[in-house]
Amino acid sequence: MSLRIGTRGSALALAQTNKVAGMLADRGIEAEVVTVTTEGDTATGVPLHAIGGQGVFVRALDDAILRGEIDAAVHSMKDIPAARPAGLTCCAILERDSPADFLVHECPLDAVSVIGSSSTRRRAQLLRDAPALEVKQLRGNVDTRIRKLREGQYDAIVLAEAGLERLGLTLPGEPLPTDRFVPSPNQGTIAVVCRDDPAVAGAFAPLDHAPTRLDVEIERAVMEEVGGGCFTPQGIYCRDGNLIAEVLALDGSRWERIERHVAALDEAREWGRALRVQAAGLIREAYAALGIKP
C-alpha cells in the first residue's frame, strides 16, 4: 500500500509529516509527502485572526483530501478547527510531546521588555504575569521568528516547546509552567486526518495513542462548548484527566478559570458550558475588540 500525505511546506510541518511517514515505513507502508501551500503561509503580514485563525492552515489540506489529490494530511492538532467537513476523519493522534510554551531569549530574563507573539492567548497570559511587558505581533515560520529575535526586533519570543524539539533546535530560554501559561487545546499533539475510508484510516490506526486521544478529546470538548475560536484568549489543558481551562481578557487583566478531574467527554462538555457562562463577558469583549461577528 502506498499513501500520499499532504503537509504545509514549513520546516516544522515537514518534520512532523516525515515523522509520520517514518512510522508508516516501520510498518511496511510507503508514503509520498506532498506539499500544499495555504493562505496562512502566504499572508504573513496580517494578524492570524484577520484571515480566519488557525483554520487557514488546515482548510487547503482538507480540500486536497476531499478532491482526491492526497489521501491524508498531518497537522499540529491545535490548528484543527472544531467544525470539520463531512467525509474526513481523524485517524491517528500520536503520543503527545511537550504541551508547554517556550520563552526564547538571549538577554537576561530581567531585561526582557518586548516579546513577540501573534497568539491572543500568549499575549494575555504574558500580560497577566507581567503587565508592563510590550507584546508585539510576530508571524512567520520558526526560522523567521528566530531571525527577527536575533535582529533585535524583540527581546524574547514565545514558541511551542514541542516544535523546537521536533526541529532539533536547542535555544536559550525556558519552558513556561503550564499551570500559569495554560497551553492551547491540543498543543504538542500531532494528528493525522484522512478521507473517511476504512482502508486508509486502518493504515494509520496503529499510530494512535489512546491516552493522548482521551486527553485531547477532553480539551476539544471543552473548547467546543466554550466557543470563541482562536480569537478569544483561552488555555485548555488536560493530562491524565486533570483539566485546567481558562478564558482571559485580551489585556490579561481579568480571567475565568476552572480546575477539575474529568473522566468522560460528557463531563468535559458540562464544564465547558459552565466556563462559557462564567466567561461570556470576556468572549463578547474579545469579539468586539477584534471586530469579529459572533
Side-chain angles (χ1 to χ4, degrees):
M1 185 178 193
S2 179
L3 295 169
R4 296 160 300 165
I5 307 178
T7 177
R8 295 167 59 196
S10 72
L12 178 57
L14 287 166
Q16 294 176 168
T17 304
N18 287 329
K19 177 177 180 176
V20 170
M23 295 171 79
L24 289 174
D26 290 343
R27 292 163 172 79
I29 299 172
E30 293 182 13
E32 175 192 357
V33 175
V34 179
T35 302
V36 176
T37 301
T38 76
E39 185 182 0
D41 294 310
T42 55
T44 58
V46 293
L48 201 52
H49 66 76
I51 55 172
Q54 294 286 6
V56 299
F57 296 127
V58 178
R59 197 176 306 126
L61 290 159
D62 284 346
D63 290 345
I65 296 172
L66 293 171
R67 288 194 300 265
E69 296 167 5
I70 55 177
D71 300 302
V74 176
H75 300 286
S76 294
M77 192 168 181
K78 69 182 179 63
D79 292 346
I80 300 177
R84 305 295 293 127
L88 302 179
T89 185
C90 183
C91 53
I93 299 172
L94 276 57
E95 184 173 3
R96 192 176 214 158
D97 297 315
S98 169
D101 290 326
F102 192 92
L103 184 69
V104 184
H105 57 95
E106 295 178 330
C107 65
L109 186 58
D110 59 8
V112 170
S113 62
V114 179
I115 297 182
S117 175
S118 61
S119 160
T120 59
R121 172 189 64 83
R122 287 170 174 161
R123 173 188 168 84
Q125 290 172 343
L126 288 163
L127 291 174
R128 173 176 61 186
D129 200 61
L133 285 174
E134 181 183 359
V135 183
K136 293 171 60 177
Q137 280 287 330
L138 173 62
R139 290 282 315 282
N141 60 33
V142 172
D143 287 343
T144 299
R145 297 181 195 200
I146 293 170
R147 175 178 55 77
K148 290 180 177 180
L149 170 69
R150 289 178 173 159
E151 287 173 354
Q153 296 184 38
Y154 309 89
D155 300 320
I157 60 175
V158 185
L159 301 170
E161 185 173 37
L164 297 177
E165 291 172 348
R166 290 168 194 157
L167 289 168
L169 294 174
T170 302
L171 297 175
E174 58 276 314
L176 299 174
T178 55
D179 58 338
R180 282 168 43 213
F181 298 86
V182 184
S184 292
N186 303 172
Q187 185 160 306
T189 311
I190 296 172
V192 184
V193 172
C194 71
R195 66 175 182 270
D196 200 357
D197 176 329
V200 177
F204 291 100
L207 311 189
D208 194 66
H209 187 253
T212 296
R213 180 178 281 270
L214 179 57
D215 279 340
V216 298
E217 286 182 346
I218 286 171
E219 293 169 7
R220 289 184 81 80
V222 174
M223 175 185 74
E224 289 166 11
E225 295 298 337
V226 171
C230 67
F231 313 118
T232 304
Q234 59 180 285
I236 304 172
Y237 174 50
C238 185
R239 181 177 180 182
D240 300 327
N242 296 309
L243 170 70
I244 306 175
E246 64 179 14
V247 177
L248 300 92
L250 287 168
D251 64 0
S253 61
R254 289 157 293 129
W255 59 90
E256 297 288 347
R257 178 176 173 122
I258 58 172
E259 296 186 38
R260 295 287 186 277
H261 183 79
V262 177
L265 295 185
D266 286 349
E267 193 180 350
R269 292 195 177 278
E270 287 177 17
W271 286 114
R273 287 191 289 272
L275 181 57
R276 179 176 180 82
V277 171
Q278 288 175 224
L282 296 175
I283 294 170
R284 282 195 302 270
E285 281 180 26
Y287 272 75
L290 296 171
I292 297 162
K293 293 182 179 180

